[in-house]
Amino acid sequence: MKTSRWWQQCSVISFLLAVWLPAWIMAQTTPPTQGTTSPKPQNDRLQFRLVGYPRKHNEGRIEVFYKGEWGTICDDDFSLSNANVLCRQLGFVSATGWTHSAKYGKGLGKIWLDNVQCNGGEKSIELCKSRGWGNSDCTHDEDAGVVCKDERLPGFVDSNIIDVQMDENKVEKVRLRPVVPTKKMPITEGVVEIKYRNGWVQICDVGWTSKNTRVICGMLGFPDEKKVNKNFYKLPPKAKARAKPFTSGLNKRLNIERQKNQYHLHSVACVGTEVHLAACPLEFNKGNATGSCKGGMPVVVSCVPGPQYVHNNGLKKKLKTTSMVRLKGGAKLGEGRVEVLRNNEWGTVCDDRWTLLSASVVCRELGFGSAKEALTGARMGQGMGPIHMNEVLCLGTEKSMWNCGFKNITSEDCQHVEDAAVRCNTPYMALENSIRLTGGRTRYEGRVEVLSTEANGTRIWGLICGGAWSTKEAMVACRQLGLGYANHGLQETWYWDSSNVTEMVMSGVKCTGNEMSLSHCQHHRTVSCQKTAAKFSAGVICSETASDLVLNAPLVQQSVYIEDRPLHMLYCAAEENCLSKSAASANWPYGHRRLLRFSSQIHNIGRADFRPKAGRHSWVWHACHGHYHSMDIFTHYDLLSSNGTKVAEGHKASFCLEDTECHEGISKRYECANFGEQGITVGCWDLYRHDIDCQWIDITDIKPGNYILQIVINPNFEVAESDFTNNAMKCNCKYDGHRIWLHNCHMGDAFSEEAERRFEKYPGQFNNQIS
């Protein structure tokens, strides 16, 4: 019997070897052919990134990290379908195009994939047909690139390098549902719920840690978390027979909460530095049905809001501290170019190795949540002045960006085209529910309608009186609507009346421009409007981008001098009102005027071209100088005494707004000759040389002494900008009666508040309001 069984076993083994061995040998010796599916990496998770130059954050040479090495993809057989798959893996919703022949520069190292053919629906590039990993007949002259649509997938992990996670249970949306009804926003405490299919489900709190809470709070826009009183949520349904009606109702509500068995997520193990719950190890309920939470209850978290979102004014002042980090150039609260204070001077951060971990430290330090995006390539506009940091490396636990590792900058390391920026998670405030635009051709324009509450508690929609409505109020309205900046604030509108709303419910609105909502601005207690017809209601035209003008302060300091100019050469300037009032009584054409001359170089560092508000049909021809003025006042020049009194002044109408010079790679668009278009292109500057007529202050009547020279661009807010705080420039000025010196010239927001107080002895100016 034993012998018979042995032979039977040998026969089976021989048969299997005969079938399997040749197939195995063939698999080892047959080279991969075009048209095969790429083998799935066994040990490495694929990573993707966009690199190269010049590029924006959503485009570039596509590189893949495989087997410990970054490599490129060849452009042979490349298509928009391939680009769609890759853009989704990078965290964008889709692709808008692709590039060939190393448009973004040649890569180094491996060419990992060649002859890639996707149908566009694959979840990973590894599921598309190709020659196989590392099998290519290309050179880096054929490196492919992609251009992705600038819209992020919810729940993404990183803004530039995305780990591929093909998980059907990916968490995208999270919310806090308060158990106790409240009208106050934002909601800082409640039951955590995650979006699942067409509804919301809960998380079991067994094993829940404060690190998990920190991640949840960060996602919802809060910088810190605090401990929850769990006993409050465990009240028995019949706690006290004599409980007040409100308490009894609350007990009933809590009891109902405990009876809900909507637990889809059973285990969360965050380390606390993740920017999204999807980045944490998660254990979901097995199967499709939601399960129970044995020995536990729904997760409840409590978050600490940042100073901007605290209702208690006393607590708000206590929380507010002088920060050494700020955001500039963003359309919404919690986004912008990152600037840091070093040696009492503000400067930018280079985007080398800029990650979500570092961006999140910045966001939390400023009172927001974790970072949604870590933006590179001066996405929020280029800064001016120094670049203070490079290769910032945060762990994510630091209280301040200054506690992170970083490198000092050298002039060769970085340019302002590499300024880092962030978009932070901010609390949901529901501010957009009380404002709307109607009658516009697009959702970005229309007359403004706000929701007001009547004395009897009813809410109807109403109009805002257009009197005194300006760019600043329009900026707040556009921000509240989530539509970016205001291109125009309209005092009179001819938009189609699509809502039949005719009543004025708000007037006298006066904003600083930084408010989150029109309700936070000053306005009349009772409506008072001279022109009450619906066409005189306030309107706006919003835009996702805006210009930002900044004066080159060092050039003013370097170019200043005094000229005694004969009166007979100043007839044209007198006609343009460029001389002081005493010039009218001078002995023309004899004598002279003493002029403080300097050059003005005005840069547009924003994200949209600077254009005059008035159309060409309303520009004024000035025969004296032979040009059109497109703005009545473009710049104010003022000489101030030490106590802030104006002792001499000048002004600059827009003699002619044009692109004098531009940064490398940017073309001029505006030229005044032959009644051409006027403006300043992004990345260009308009230079008014010191020897141009009216490029001065008439100081004939000024006595020797110490003064402050102040120059303010766009002083009347006539054209919208992303940032008005950098429109003013100031210098210390010393005049001995024969010569003049300028020193310490700087933009109004370039120094720390402490340094600014030392600079001036009178109440300072940090915006473009003339003192």
Side-chain angles (χ1 to χ4, degrees):
M1 290 292 291
K2 291 181 180 178
T3 304
S4 174
R5 288 176 181 172
W6 183 84
W7 276 109
Q8 288 176 0
Q9 291 171 354
C10 286
S11 299
V12 172
I13 293 170
S14 299
F15 173 77
L16 290 174
L17 284 172
V19 173
W20 173 75
L21 191 58
W24 180 82
I25 293 172
M26 286 291 290
Q28 300 303 308
T29 58
T30 304
T33 59
Q34 183 174 336
T36 61
T37 301
S38 305
K40 186 174 181 179
Q42 297 298 313
N43 300 319
D44 296 312
R45 295 171 67 187
L46 291 184
Q47 291 182 322
F48 297 87
R49 69 183 181 188
L50 293 175
V51 293
Y53 182 85
R55 70 178 186 89
K56 297 178 182 177
H57 74 290
N58 57 323
E59 63 179 89
R61 181 175 67 250
I62 183 70
E63 295 194 349
V64 190
F65 188 76
Y66 174 61
K67 287 193 173 179
E69 185 176 353
W70 286 102
T72 62
I73 298 177
C74 181
D75 61 16
D76 290 351
D77 291 336
F78 209 86
S79 67
L80 187 61
S81 296
N82 295 0
N84 272 318
V85 174
L86 288 164
C87 283
R88 285 197 299 272
Q89 292 194 266
L90 285 159
F92 297 94
V93 293
S94 63
T96 59
W98 63 278
T99 63
H100 58 84
S101 306
K103 176 186 174 181
Y104 298 102
K106 295 188 288 187
L108 300 171
K110 295 277 190 181
I111 300 176
W112 277 125
L113 294 171
D114 188 9
N115 297 111
V116 179
Q117 297 178 18
C118 305
N119 60 34
E122 294 88 350
K123 293 182 178 178
S124 173
I125 198 72
E126 66 188 353
L127 301 178
C128 302
K129 293 181 179 179
S130 74
R131 295 171 64 100
W133 291 96
N135 186 16
S136 170
D137 59 1
C138 300
T139 67
H140 282 295
D141 290 316
E142 302 167 84
D143 284 343
V146 295
V147 181
C148 302
K149 185 177 180 181
D150 191 8
E151 183 179 342
R152 305 296 298 182
L153 287 169
F156 66 92
V157 177
D158 195 292
S159 64
N160 197 32
I161 302 176
I162 307 298
D163 286 349
V164 177
Q165 297 183 52
M166 296 169 59
D167 191 346
E168 297 294 337
N169 279 315
K170 185 168 74 170
V171 175
E172 294 187 353
K173 293 184 179 179
V174 176
R175 73 178 185 185
L176 282 188
R177 185 165 51 79
V179 172
V180 181
T182 179
K183 291 184 179 179
K184 287 187 176 181
M185 298 295 285
I187 297 169
T188 58
E189 183 171 307
V191 176
V192 179
E193 295 185 334
I194 59 174
K195 184 79 173 178
Y196 178 64
R197 294 182 177 172
N198 295 323
W200 294 88
V201 291
Q202 299 165 338
I203 306 175
C204 178
D205 76 339
V206 175
W208 187 263
T209 68
S210 61
K211 293 178 179 179
N212 299 339
T213 300
R214 180 174 174 80
V215 174
I216 295 289
C217 289
M219 287 178 65
L220 296 172
F222 303 111
D224 294 300
E225 71 286 352
K226 64 180 179 180
K227 194 173 181 181
V228 175
N229 180 8
K230 281 189 140 185
N231 293 328
F232 175 80
Y233 291 88
K234 289 181 179 178
L235 286 172
K238 298 179 182 178
K240 292 182 181 179
R242 294 181 301 226
K244 294 180 181 179
F246 174 78
T247 309
S248 299
L250 178 60
N251 291 344
K252 183 177 180 181
R253 179 88 177 264
L254 292 172
N255 190 43
I256 292 172
E257 288 295 328
R258 287 198 301 274
Q259 291 173 353
K260 288 182 179 178
N261 293 323
Q262 298 293 316
Y263 298 103
H264 182 58
L265 195 52
H266 285 262
S267 177
V268 179
C270 303
V271 298
T273 58
E274 296 88 348
V275 298
H276 199 284
L277 194 62
C280 302
L282 308 174
E283 182 183 333
F284 291 88
N285 180 54
K286 304 295 190 292
N288 293 326
T290 55
S292 62
C293 179
K294 190 173 181 180
M297 57 180 277
V299 166
V300 179
V301 305
S302 185
C303 304
V304 179
Q308 305 93 322
Y309 301 95
V310 174
H311 298 289
N312 185 312
N313 288 332
L315 182 60
K316 186 178 290 190
K317 290 180 180 178
K318 184 178 179 181
L319 290 174
K320 193 170 183 179
T321 57
T322 303
S323 178
M324 295 178 67
V325 180
R326 70 183 183 187
L327 301 182
K328 299 282 280 186
K332 301 175 184 176
L333 199 64
E335 69 175 31
R337 178 177 63 253
V338 179
E339 295 190 352
V340 293
L341 188 63
R342 191 176 193 183
N343 297 327
N344 280 327
E345 186 174 11
W346 288 99
T348 61
V349 176
C350 188
D351 63 11
D352 291 351
R353 301 184 70 182
W354 184 243
T355 66
L356 278 175
L357 282 178
S358 300
S360 291
V361 171
V362 170
C363 290
R364 290 183 187 269
E365 182 177 358
L366 292 172
F368 305 109
S370 51
K372 282 192 292 190
E373 291 186 72
L375 302 171
T376 58
R379 183 70 196 287
M380 292 292 178
Q382 297 182 30
M384 292 281 283
I387 302 174
H388 285 322
M389 286 179 163
N390 187 20
E391 296 192 24
V392 178
L393 189 61
C394 300
L395 301 175
T397 56
E398 297 87 350
K399 290 292 184 183
S400 170
M401 186 180 178
W402 288 103
N403 297 333
C404 303
F406 66 91
K407 287 186 178 179
N408 291 320
I409 224 70
T410 64
S411 57
E412 295 81 22
D413 286 336
C414 284
Q415 312 267 331
H416 281 297
V417 293
E418 302 169 85
D419 284 343
V422 298
R423 280 199 178 105
C424 305
N425 285 312
T426 57
Y428 177 65
M429 299 293 289
L431 297 173
E432 72 281 6
N433 296 336
S434 58
I435 187 173
R436 69 186 183 189
L437 299 184
T438 61
R441 294 161 295 184
T442 71
R443 70 186 187 97
Y444 286 90
E445 66 173 351
R447 66 177 191 176
V448 182
E449 295 181 1
V450 292
L451 199 58
S452 64
T453 304
E454 300 291 328
N456 60 6
T458 60
R459 307 189 78 183
I460 65 156
W461 288 96
L463 304 175
I464 300 176
C465 181
W469 182 261
S470 71
T471 302
K472 290 185 291 183
E473 288 73 43
M475 293 285 272
V476 176
C478 290
R479 182 181 299 118
Q480 185 177 352
L481 286 158
L483 297 178
Y485 304 99
N487 268 351
H488 297 291
L490 309 173
Q491 294 186 355
E492 185 175 347
T493 60
W494 296 92
Y495 289 113
W496 175 55
D497 182 12
S498 59
S499 61
N500 294 322
V501 173
T502 58
E503 184 183 358
M504 299 281 184
V505 297
M506 186 180 284
S507 64
V509 181
K510 187 176 182 182
C511 306
T512 65
N514 299 317
E515 296 88 349
M516 286 189 282
S517 165
L518 287 174
S519 62
H520 299 160
C521 302
Q522 296 179 21
H523 57 85
H524 293 155
R525 288 191 176 183
T526 56
V527 177
S528 175
C529 189
Q530 290 183 345
K531 299 178 180 179
T532 56
K535 73 173 185 177
F536 296 109
S537 62
V540 295
I541 300 176
C542 304
S543 172
E544 292 183 349
T545 57
S547 60
D548 187 15
L549 297 188
V550 176
L551 189 69
N552 184 343
L555 181 61
V556 175
Q557 185 168 321
Q558 295 162 13
S559 61
V560 68
Y561 65 98
I562 288 177
E563 179 192 19
D564 290 326
R565 195 163 183 81
L567 278 172
H568 68 83
M569 299 179 68
L570 291 171
Y571 279 102
C572 204
E575 185 178 316
E576 299 272 7
N577 295 317
C578 295
L579 301 175
S580 62
K581 293 177 182 178
S582 64
S585 57
N587 186 22
W588 293 80
Y590 308 104
H592 65 272
R593 304 299 291 181
R594 175 156 289 188
L595 307 175
L596 171 60
R597 284 186 174 273
F598 49 86
S599 295
S600 294
Q601 190 182 77
I602 298 158
H603 292 246
N604 183 357
I605 64 171
R607 295 160 58 201
D609 293 353
F610 184 93
R611 299 294 311 278
K613 184 177 181 179
R616 295 177 62 172
H617 65 280
S618 62
W619 295 355
V620 179
W621 171 257
H622 284 247
C624 188
H625 287 135
H627 55 245
Y628 283 92
H629 284 195
S630 58
M631 294 176 66
D632 291 335
I633 298 292
F634 177 59
T635 314
H636 272 150
Y637 304 143
D638 296 295
L639 198 64
L640 309 174
S641 65
S642 57
N643 64 3
T645 305
K646 190 185 300 184
V647 296
E649 64 180 36
H651 74 274
K652 191 76 171 178
S654 60
F655 270 22
C656 165
L657 290 178
E658 66 178 3
D659 297 325
T660 307
E661 294 291 341
C662 300
H663 289 298
E664 185 178 352
I666 299 174
S667 301
K668 299 179 183 178
R669 298 183 61 186
Y670 303 104
E671 187 174 8
C672 298
N674 302 317
F675 195 33
E677 290 290 340
Q678 293 194 24
I680 307 177
T681 304
V682 174
C684 300
W685 55 90
D686 189 4
L687 174 63
Y688 290 99
R689 285 175 50 89
H690 55 81
D691 52 2
I692 293 177
D693 214 10
C694 293
Q695 183 59 36
W696 63 58
I697 298 177
D698 184 344
I699 61 169
T700 306
D701 307 317
I702 302 303
K703 298 178 180 178
N706 294 322
Y707 300 94
I708 290 176
L709 171 66
Q710 178 174 274
I711 302 176
V712 185
I713 309 167
N714 192 16
N716 299 330
F717 303 99
E718 191 175 328
V719 178
E721 298 185 48
S722 61
D723 186 3
F724 287 116
T725 62
N726 57 15
N727 283 29
M729 188 220 74
K730 291 181 288 186
C731 305
N732 284 117
C733 177
K734 181 177 178 60
Y735 175 47
D736 68 358
H738 304 284
R739 292 170 297 174
I740 201 157
W741 295 268
L742 294 184
H743 59 98
N744 213 10
C745 292
H746 64 282
M747 291 184 296
D749 67 341
F751 289 165
S752 67
E753 292 184 26
E754 179 187 355
E756 194 66 24
R757 282 193 295 269
R758 289 201 304 266
F759 172 78
E760 57 187 20
K761 294 182 180 179
Y762 67 96
Q765 163 188 307
F766 289 93
N767 54 35
N768 62 350
Q769 290 295 301
I770 301 299
S771 299

